[in-house]
Amino acid sequence: MRIASFNINGIKARLPRVTEWLEETRPDVACFQEIKCQDPNFPADAFGAIGYKSIWHGQKSFNGVAILARETEPVEIQRGLPGDDEDEQARYLEAEVGGIRIVCIYLPNGNPQPGPKFEYKLSWMQRLRSRMASIWAEEIPAIVLGDFNVIPEDKDVWLPKAMADDALMQPESRDAYARLLHDGWTDAIDRLNPRGGVWTYWDYQAGAWQRDHGFRIDHALLSPECADRLLAVGVDRTYRGREKASDHAPIWVELQA
DNA sequence: ATGACTGCCTCTGGCAGA
């Protein structure tokens, strides 16, 4: 079973790229972040036509997440990250697909730091940890994946100095991410690429893609019930180099059926 | 080098992204 995640940076601008990727790679489950559309405008029919059923949580202009499943309907468990009734940003969608709990997240970027956006990021990560602890307690196969907007370690960025002041790699952001790992979740890409050097994002600016100036911020965290079944991981880098590409590449994990 | 690019909604420029 292959479960993928893709920060698509706008479903309207990216639909041809995204359907092409689905048809070429045929993941069993696909999580999208930054769909950047309101709920009525999500192109569920276009995905249905190529064999995928969708649930989504949209928002005007920004954010927005979706979960697609091949030949089966994702069963929605939770929409929006619990823990703050004031938070209306569409960044969290949780479903069950084929006996696996799928948690699709778009974690706040947090720039500029310090400031309210960085505080929002850190409080969001606290709430995520709490939600993940509840899921952990269910002792089920679960995978939390998406755009975490955290560079976990220096080995996960082409040049640590270049990003030193960025919210993505502040000690507070890294500590909050490390706590999830200490809680027992397995960073699937890191587990199978322990020396680092794996990028999932390249900026549109300054020829970052051409120079391979990237970093790793898209992650997949596995509960023990999933980690025991981990066969392979990957980043579909080639899609970053195509016409009208997202600034992220898709990531995927393969679990034993 | 306070640079660079892209998408969105449209106050077609300002915001957000990372």
Side-chain angles (χ1 to χ4, degrees):
Chain A
M1 183 170 187
R2 193 151 33 83
I3 301 163
S5 171
F6 194 177
N7 180 322
I8 61 174
N9 188 18
I11 189 64
K12 188 179 166 190
R14 209 70 59 217
L15 189 57
R17 271 300 79 80
V18 168
T19 51
E20 169 186 273
W21 168 71
L22 286 170
E23 291 192 285
E24 289 174 0
T25 68
R26 302 301 286 171
D28 296 285
V29 180
C31 296
F32 294 155
Q33 301 84 38
E34 288 206 87
I35 62 174
K36 293 186 176 180
C37 71
Q38 291 179 288
D39 281 338
N41 300 331
F42 186 81
D45 290 348
F47 297 128
I50 57 171
Y52 284 88
K53 295 179 177 172
S54 323
I55 61 172
W56 61 95
H57 186 199
Q59 179 180 347
K60 191 177 181 178
S61 301
F62 309 112
N63 306 326
V65 285
I67 298 175
L68 282 66
R70 188 158 54 81
E71 313 298 349
T72 185
E73 189 95 42
V75 179
E76 185 170 319
I77 303 285
Q78 173 68 32
R79 163 178 304 244
L81 180 61
D84 180 0
D85 295 338
E86 308 285 291
D87 184 6
E88 293 183 346
Q89 298 195 30
R91 297 178 174 276
Y92 184 99
L93 191 58
E94 180 180 332
E96 181 132 323
V97 182
I100 298 185
R101 186 70 57 87
I102 306 289
V103 181
C104 173
I105 71 160
Y106 175 48
L107 204 148
N109 171 296
N111 281 305
Q113 70 82 28
K117 290 188 175 181
F118 191 57
E119 293 308 310
Y120 175 64
K121 178 190 189 113
L122 297 179
S123 67
W124 205 94
M125 292 185 82
Q126 266 188 339
R127 286 158 56 205
L128 177 65
R129 187 185 184 203
S130 170
R131 178 65 181 182
M132 287 171 68
S134 302
I135 295 168
W136 181 276
E138 294 185 50
E139 299 184 359
I140 53 173
I143 173 166
V144 181
L145 73 167
D147 180 356
F148 280 70
N149 270 318
V150 175
I151 298 168
E153 298 181 49
D154 283 355
K155 68 182 180 181
D156 299 309
V157 53
W158 67 280
L159 183 64
K161 200 170 61 178
M163 297 293 290
D165 295 328
D166 198 285
L168 306 195
M169 58 173 277
Q170 291 314 296
E172 296 94 329
S173 309
R174 287 181 163 180
D175 288 349
Y177 186 78
R179 273 179 217 115
L180 304 175
L181 306 184
H182 293 149
D183 288 343
W185 295 85
T186 296
D187 179 335
I189 293 177
D190 186 61
R191 169 63 56 90
L192 298 185
N193 299 274
R195 285 176 301 184
V198 177
W199 318 145
T200 68
Y201 171 90
W202 297 258
D203 201 291
Y204 286 127
Q205 303 183 65
W209 166 249
Q210 289 76 8
R211 300 170 189 206
D212 200 26
H213 291 176
F215 38 85
R216 186 172 75 97
I217 52 175
D218 298 272
H219 308 306
L221 301 190
L222 310 182
S223 77
E225 293 79 3
C226 272
D228 289 345
R229 297 161 56 181
L230 180 61
L231 294 177
V233 302
V235 179
D236 293 335
R237 281 177 61 111
T238 161
Y239 291 87
R240 178 61 182 83
R242 296 194 183 180
E243 285 296 308
K244 294 282 286 177
S246 170
D247 40 6
H248 294 250
I251 65 166
W252 53 266
V253 306
E254 180 86 42
L255 303 179
Q256 200 154 39

